[in-house]
Amino acid sequence: MNGRKARALKAQKKAEDERLIESIRDAHPVLLRRDGEMEEWQKGPLTLWVPVVRDDYPPALKVGLQLRRTSIFELECMCGAEVRVSASRRIALRHTVSCPASGEALEPLAQAAGIATERADG
């Protein structure tokens, strides 16, 4: 494959990814089920696992989790989180390390509150 064809394919994939992201952003979320500390939602073609924010959580944890929920539903965050679409059409939202919604910020807060955490994004 020559360089011109490779650039054209890359541009085509980027345009498809952007259309997919916009279709997800425009879709209305539907709650499918609640499983412990997580909720499963359908938003367009995307299935989302979103953390539950309980009233008894410490304030800093509640703020971070609420920001994480909002960023998952909107596929954007105040930190400028990067949205990536994999070849298998999986969506990944990568927060900056200093973002209150990042795993790096949330995990210590959750552990200090005695809440078990499992990160799906590694």
Side-chain angles (χ1 to χ4, degrees), residues 55-108:
D55 290 339
D56 60 334
Y57 285 170
L61 180 59
K62 287 194 324 192
V63 167
L65 286 175
Q66 189 57 51
L67 180 59
R68 189 170 187 100
R69 285 177 63 91
T70 301
S71 67
I72 290 170
F73 284 118
E74 296 177 2
L75 291 182
E76 58 188 21
C77 183
M78 66 180 195
C79 74
E82 180 182 5
V83 180
R84 288 190 177 177
V85 181
S86 72
S88 63
R89 312 305 283 165
R90 290 184 57 140
I91 306 288
L93 185 65
R94 303 286 182 205
H95 296 274
T96 61
V97 175
S98 61
C99 179
S102 71
E104 291 83 357
L106 288 172
E107 285 180 14

Side-chain angles (χ1 to χ4, degrees), residues 16-30 41-48 70-76 83-85 89-92:
E16 289 171 2
D17 292 351
E18 288 172 0
R19 282 192 299 274
L20 175 62
I21 290 167
E22 281 307 308
S23 75
I24 294 166
R25 285 182 175 144
D26 292 343
H28 178 73
V30 176
W41 292 78
Q42 189 71 40
K43 191 161 190 251
L46 187 64
T47 301
L48 306 167
T70 301
S71 67
I72 290 170
F73 284 118
E74 296 177 2
L75 291 182
E76 58 188 21
V83 180
R84 288 190 177 177
V85 181
R89 312 305 283 165
R90 290 184 57 140
I91 306 288

